Every structure is written in C-alpha cells, then in structure tokens.
Amino acid sequence: MSMIKGFHHLTAGVSGAQEDVDFYVSLLGQSLVKKTVLLDGEDPIYHLYYGNAGGDPGTLVTSFPFRQKGVKARPGSGQVRVINYSVPRGALEFWRERFAARSVAYEPDMTERFGERRQRFCHPCGIEFDLVETDHDARPPCTSAGIPADVAIRGVHSITLSLREVAESILFMTEALEFRHVGTSGPYHRFETHTGGPGMVVEFLHEPERLQGSSIYGEGTIHHVAFAVDSVAQQMVLKDRFMAMGYIDISESVNRNYFRSMYFKMPGGVIFEAATTDIGFAIDEEPGHFGEEFQLPPWLRERKDELLGRLEPIAV
Ligand SMILES: [Fe+2]
C-alpha cells in the first residue's frame, strides 16, 4: 500500500492577490485558510492557502500572486495543467449559471471522461480548472452564501498533468509512488492511490506536441503538486527509493512552518512534493479562525510590519 494517501496541496502562480481571493472565496466558496508569505527569496510575495474550513489536506490550493513582482511563467508540458475540483452529481448546471452571471470564462460544452461529467472554467490568470461530478466524495461541502451543500465543492478531485512522453512517468507513478494505473481513455491515463476516488486520482494527458513549460515561480502556471505523507521519516523512505531508481534530483526536507516539504521532479518534468501531515494550521490560529490574521513563521515575525507594508491590502 502506498505511503501516499492523497493530495496535500497544489500551488499556483497567479496575477493579483485580490483577484485571486475573489476567485477562490467569492466565486468557488473556498475558505481562506492561511494568509502568509512565500518563504523562498527576499521580496515578500503573499502565500494564500484556500480549502475547506478545516484546512484539510486534499482540499488545499495555494497561490503566489506574482503580478507584484512582474514574473510570468510559461504554460506547457511538464506541468500540472488542470486542477479538478469535486462536486456532487447534477451540480454542473448550477456552476455554469454562476460562471455566466459573473463573467467567468468557461467552456460552452460539458465533457465526460472515465464515467464522470466535467465542466472546464478558468482562473483570471488563465489556469484551467474542471469541476468533476461524483457520487463518491464524503468530504464536507464548502458551502457559503449562494452555494448550497448539494452543489458545493468537496475538495480537489484530481490533477491532470501535461506530458510529452508517458512511458517512464507511468513507471514512476506505479513503482516509485505505488499508484495503480487504472485506465486509459484516448490520450488520458488515470492513476489512483490508497482507496481511490476523489482526492486520490492523478491523470496524465499525453501531449507530444506541447512545448515544455517553465518551472519558475511566476504568473499563470501551477508550480507543483504536493502529496500527503505522514512524516519526515516517510519522506526519507521515498527519497531512498527514488535514488535507487536513479532519480537523484531531490530536495532536502524543507521547513514550511505548517508542514515539512521534500521536492522532486517526476520523469515528465512535473515538480512533485511530499508534504507531511504531522503539524498543520492550528500552530498559530485556532480552528474556526484560520486565515483571519496575517501570519509569519517564527523566524520572520519581527519583520511583520515591514513585510505587510510591501504587500497589497486584500479584503476577504
Ligand atoms: Fe508546496
């Protein structure tokens, strides 16, 4: 059985901070779970975490609003191309009306894959999302004003990777990460971990003609996907396994305050992370109050006023 129980978080570079808050919170009914800063580099950039009210791993999508720094990332292959959110069966008509009423870009036609109906729409920075209908997601609904439980998002359903080559990446998913290769549909491959179902699904989209995308932090791409592991000890087991296969390009275990992160590139070039579930968001805010105040890790707290003064104010 795989050590990976599902997703921890996804991280994207977006444009403006307020536009991003409006997309996740106002449009999609997500909670702002944590408001902090990117911990790499000298210039402060927000790191905004969205998910369900409890901040549960597998519901989290996080943003770096990079318009402030003016760095653009290039979409392409070797990236997570689509974030797929899970909604109950029959919910897509509600969401199509909501997108139309709010001038959100969405595809005119719904599609279906692996027996699930789906609706494509876009973040204002261009990142693609699908809503995927399923009867098999027992996670609590992300309800809010105007979004009742029977249509509300349950969390991340799956991710869709764009890959120029798939053979070695299939081997990596099954042997290194111990996912099951459960099906193919045209250019799509589907993998599942643990019990399978929403939150435990990775899809490949084989796109041999799509040029390679960038892996820089910048506007307009999903930078990486983090899978949930229990502990640093499990990260080290994975690291040994990757190295034994020849994948020696693996980071140390990095302190991200709310979890520990180990980064690695899968063969198709997508940045993966193994993030630990042993710390969590309650270390600086009580459950029920997540995301209310700007938070910094202990080593940056004395610079709070200076850092906040260099970031655009946001309203939730
Ligand atoms: Fe991450």
Side-chain angles (χ1 to χ4, degrees):
M1 179 75 80
S2 175
M3 277 180 280
I4 292 167
K5 311 276 194 321
F7 299 112
H8 189 280
H9 64 269
L10 284 144
T11 294
V14 300
S15 304
Q18 186 63 54
E19 168 186 280
D20 191 61
V21 170
D22 293 344
F23 176 80
Y24 285 105
V25 178
S26 305
L27 176 68
L28 299 180
Q30 301 298 290
S31 297
L32 179 62
V33 173
K34 199 63 73 177
K35 184 167 50 174
T36 181
V37 288
L38 172 60
L39 299 178
D40 300 330
E42 290 302 311
D43 302 322
I45 297 284
Y46 276 122
H47 194 184
L48 306 172
Y49 289 71
Y50 308 94
N52 69 10
D56 295 329
T59 71
L60 301 167
V61 180
T62 85
S63 297
F64 298 134
F66 253 87
R67 178 165 296 165
Q68 181 187 331
K69 208 171 172 185
V71 181
K72 284 203 160 50
R74 185 180 63 255
S77 62
Q79 291 175 343
V80 179
R81 176 160 181 176
V82 188
I83 298 174
N84 306 300
Y85 271 130
S86 163
V87 294
R89 191 187 294 262
L92 293 187
E93 282 75 11
F94 166 89
W95 286 101
R96 287 169 61 89
E97 282 179 26
R98 189 170 177 88
F99 296 151
R102 293 172 176 238
S103 303
V104 173
Y106 69 100
E107 286 292 319
D109 298 318
M110 292 181 272
T111 57
E112 188 165 329
R113 187 156 78 237
F114 298 111
E116 294 166 330
R117 213 163 62 126
R118 38 209 308 153
Q119 174 65 51
R120 174 68 47 89
F121 65 105
C122 287
H123 186 286
C125 77
I127 290 173
E128 296 164 290
F129 285 75
D130 272 358
L131 294 172
V132 182
E133 287 187 346
T134 174
D135 293 328
H136 305 291
D137 199 334
R139 294 176 290 181
C142 299
T143 52
S144 70
I147 306 177
D150 63 343
V151 296
I153 289 170
R154 262 56 179 178
V156 174
H157 172 282
S158 54
I159 53 171
T160 307
L161 312 183
S162 172
L163 300 176
R164 287 173 71 101
E165 310 265 3
V166 296
E168 198 185 1
S169 293
I170 291 170
L171 197 69
F172 188 82
M173 290 302 296
T174 55
E175 298 204 357
L177 298 184
E178 298 182 291
F179 277 59
R180 299 178 299 280
H181 190 186
V182 295
T184 58
S185 173
Y188 291 94
H189 293 257
R190 185 168 168 126
F191 302 85
E192 292 186 351
T193 189
H194 197 53
T195 59
M200 297 172 227
V201 177
V202 171
E203 287 182 345
F204 289 177
L205 170 55
H206 188 196
E207 298 187 284
E209 306 301 325
R210 188 170 165 89
L211 296 179
Q212 185 176 324
S214 61
S215 52
I216 196 170
Y217 285 141
E219 272 185 70
T221 62
I222 300 158
H223 183 262
H224 65 265
V225 53
F227 297 99
V229 297
D230 291 340
S231 61
V232 172
Q234 288 197 340
Q235 289 175 338
M236 294 305 118
V237 172
L238 288 174
K239 186 169 192 167
D240 284 349
R241 189 184 297 161
F242 302 158
M243 294 199 57
M245 295 175 79
Y247 300 114
I248 58 172
D249 188 7
I250 311 159
S251 81
E252 299 300 308
S253 183
V254 184
N255 183 356
R256 296 308 193 193
N257 201 28
Y258 307 105
F259 44 86
R260 300 289 182 267
S261 299
M262 184 182 82
Y263 302 92
F264 49 100
K265 270 200 175 184
M266 56 90 81
V270 185
I271 303 172
F272 279 9
E273 172 186 343
T276 66
T277 53
D278 53 357
I279 305 173
F281 297 112
I283 58 169
D284 52 15
E285 288 174 305
E286 293 292 321
H289 297 276
F290 288 167
E292 288 183 358
E293 301 292 333
F294 182 61
Q295 298 294 342
L296 289 168
W299 62 91
L300 289 177
R301 267 177 213 154
E302 62 185 28
R303 294 177 58 198
K304 182 170 181 174
D305 291 345
E306 175 224 326
L307 293 174
L308 205 49
R310 293 164 68 189
L311 292 163
E312 72 169 279
I314 48 176
V316 180

